[in-house]
Structures are given as structure tokens and as C-alpha cells.
Amino acid sequence: MLAVAGAHFTWNLADDFRQLFEFPFMVNAFRAGTIVAVVAGAIGWFMVLRRQAFAGHTLALVGFPGAAGAIWLGVSATWGFFGFCVGAALLIAWLRPERGEGYSEESSGIGVVQAFALACGFLFVSLYRGFLNGINALLFGSFLGVTNGQVLVLLIVGGAALTALAAVGRPLLFTSIDPDVAAARGVRVRALSVLFLVLLGLTVAEVSQITGTLLVFALLVMPPATAQLLTARPGVSVAITVVIGLLVTWLGLAVAYFTPYPIGFFVTSFAFAGYVGAAALRRGGRRRVIA
């Protein structure tokens, strides 16, 4: 991805701030990034708590063949992201073993989906005869070309995902912490698991359009993992997750605007720095307690 023509960083923060919003596509990029950061933070927090990072990683990779296949067919990559990610989420839910089977059986099924999805992605890229530079944006993200229509789609899908999450938040938290006790209390654990995987697929499809399919975890894993290092209180932890996601997204967009490098790298680097800082803070606190 090339730097925006005419963009140059100065030490006059007021002028630099105004530059960020000179172009409509940057305004849309900040709008889309804000929506994505909030949704990814809320859904990602439950994903980390439920230890389903491998499923999230697989759904992230599935976005690549989905977008590549959509481009090959001549339709918007957005539909490919959503179609393949939600379809893969349903497939993972269907392949998920019944209670009593081990974690290895579940991870094996997810790995099978991941391998097949990647093979489809390479096939679609080979079949596509057009200009392939856009593949870099699919893999590593780009803020160029974000349209009003895309922002609206992200807002509608993100709002629906957050509404569904809010409706099932309490029982989902219960099943995430102790599924056996939740099942004994009459909570429909498997139905909630399927619903959460669908919400995770929708979220991954959203985030992929900003960070790219290879760097989805920058927003989906690092902010919630950082927040859960800082506090065990669910409400506070979710709030910290969203704040971290917004900060790294806004900073990533701002820095990427003035450089020729992809936004995904900066979002990932800032999120990683936050996680390392939280881990160091927590380790330092433990040492003080021991001493």
C-alpha cells in the first residue's frame, strides 16, 4: 500500500490532525475502524475467555478465500468475507464434538476447515486473471477505498452482532466459565456455542476488511488478552478491551496515513506493545507480593 499522495507528517499536531480528515475515504476509514474495534473487542473478549482462539484464527484465514472468490466472481469482496466466514462458523459448529469428547477432536475438525479454506483461496487466486495487487490488501489490510456503503454495512452487521451478544451475554458468560454447571442449570450450552461462533464469524469478516485476514488477531485477541491481564472483573475488562481496541485502531490509521506501510502492521504492533506492557505490569505486581 502506498502512502497517501501529499500526506506528510509535521510536529504541528493540529495540522497533522486536520490532514487526517482532508479526504472522505479517511473519514470513512475512521468510522469503519471505530465500528470494527468496538465489535471485535466485545466478541473477542468472550473468545479469549472461552479459549476459542484457534477457531477465531481459522475463521480469519477463511476470509481470504471468501474475498478472493468474490473478486474472481466479480462481486464485492465484502460479500465474500461475510459469506465464507459465517459459513465456516456454521461448519465448525456442526463438526464440533459432542460432550465427553476431547479437545483434540474439536481442534482437528477446525484444522480440517482451515486447510480446505486455504486451498480454496489459492485456487481462486490462480483462477483470477486480473491485477493481483489487491491480494496484499486482503491479507494485510488497507484503509484506502472505504466507501459510505461499506461503513453502513459494517454498522448494521456490527450493531446486530452487539445486540445479539447483549441479549445472551449473561448465560454466555455462565457457559464460558463453567459449561457443565450451566448445562445442569438448564442453559442451552450447545445452542449458545453455535450462536457465538456465528457472531465470531461476522466479527472476523468485519475486522478482516480493515486489518486484512492475516492480522485479524490484532483486534480480536490482543486487546481482550491485555484487558484480562489487568483485571478479572468482566464489566471493567470488556470496557478496557474496547478502549484499547479503539486506541490501537485510531493510532494505526493515523500512522499508516503518513507512511507507505500497511495499517495491519501498525495496529498489530501497538496492540502487541500494550499486551507486553500489561504482562510486565502484572509480573512486577506478583514479584512485589512475593517479596
Side-chain angles (χ1 to χ4, degrees), residues 58-136:
T58 296
L59 292 175
L61 294 180
V62 166
F64 166 64
I71 293 174
W72 171 52
L73 294 174
V75 299
S76 172
T78 299
W79 300 112
F81 277 122
F82 284 115
F84 264 61
C85 288
V86 173
L90 292 172
L91 181 57
I92 290 173
W94 181 71
L95 292 173
R96 189 174 184 180
E98 298 294 335
R99 293 179 58 191
E101 297 189 38
Y103 175 77
S104 60
E105 286 82 1
E106 179 181 4
S107 61
S108 297
I110 296 173
V112 168
V113 174
Q114 181 181 120
F116 179 69
L118 286 175
C120 291
F122 289 123
L123 173 64
F124 296 148
V125 170
S126 299
L127 293 173
Y128 182 63
R129 303 299 182 183
F131 185 50
L132 294 180
N133 185 55
I135 297 299
N136 290 330

Side-chain angles (χ1 to χ4, degrees), residues 225-284:
T226 302
Q228 290 180 26
L229 282 177
L230 296 175
T231 179
R233 298 172 61 185
V236 177
S237 184
V238 172
I240 293 175
T241 297
V242 172
V243 170
I244 294 173
L246 288 171
L247 288 176
V248 299
T249 301
W250 291 341
L251 284 173
L253 282 168
V255 177
Y257 177 80
F258 294 105
T259 68
Y261 307 112
I263 178 179
F265 167 75
F266 295 111
V267 172
T268 303
S269 298
F270 295 144
F272 177 72
Y275 180 80
V276 172
L281 183 64
R282 182 172 181 175
R283 179 167 295 186

Side-chain angles (χ1 to χ4, degrees), residues 29-57:
F30 271 90
R31 290 171 177 169
T34 299
I35 296 168
V36 162
V38 172
V39 178
I43 301 294
W45 189 87
F46 279 95
M47 185 194 72
V48 173
L49 181 67
R50 294 170 63 84
R51 297 178 176 86
Q52 289 187 299
F54 186 35
H57 177 63

Side-chain angles (χ1 to χ4, degrees), residues 154-231:
L154 293 178
L155 180 61
I156 293 173
V157 175
L162 290 178
T163 300
L165 182 65
V168 300
R170 291 178 65 87
L172 182 62
L173 179 62
F174 190 12
T175 61
S176 301
I177 295 174
D178 198 331
D180 292 331
V181 174
R185 292 287 185 88
V187 179
R188 301 178 63 184
V189 176
R190 188 165 184 84
L192 282 174
S193 298
V194 173
L195 175 61
F196 178 73
L197 281 172
V198 172
L199 294 178
L200 182 59
L202 290 172
T203 303
V204 166
E206 284 205 325
V207 179
S208 297
Q209 297 178 59
I210 300 296
T211 64
T213 59
L214 294 184
L215 300 176
V216 167
F217 270 19
L219 289 178
L220 203 61
V221 172
M222 292 185 186
T226 302
Q228 290 180 26
L229 282 177
L230 296 175
T231 179

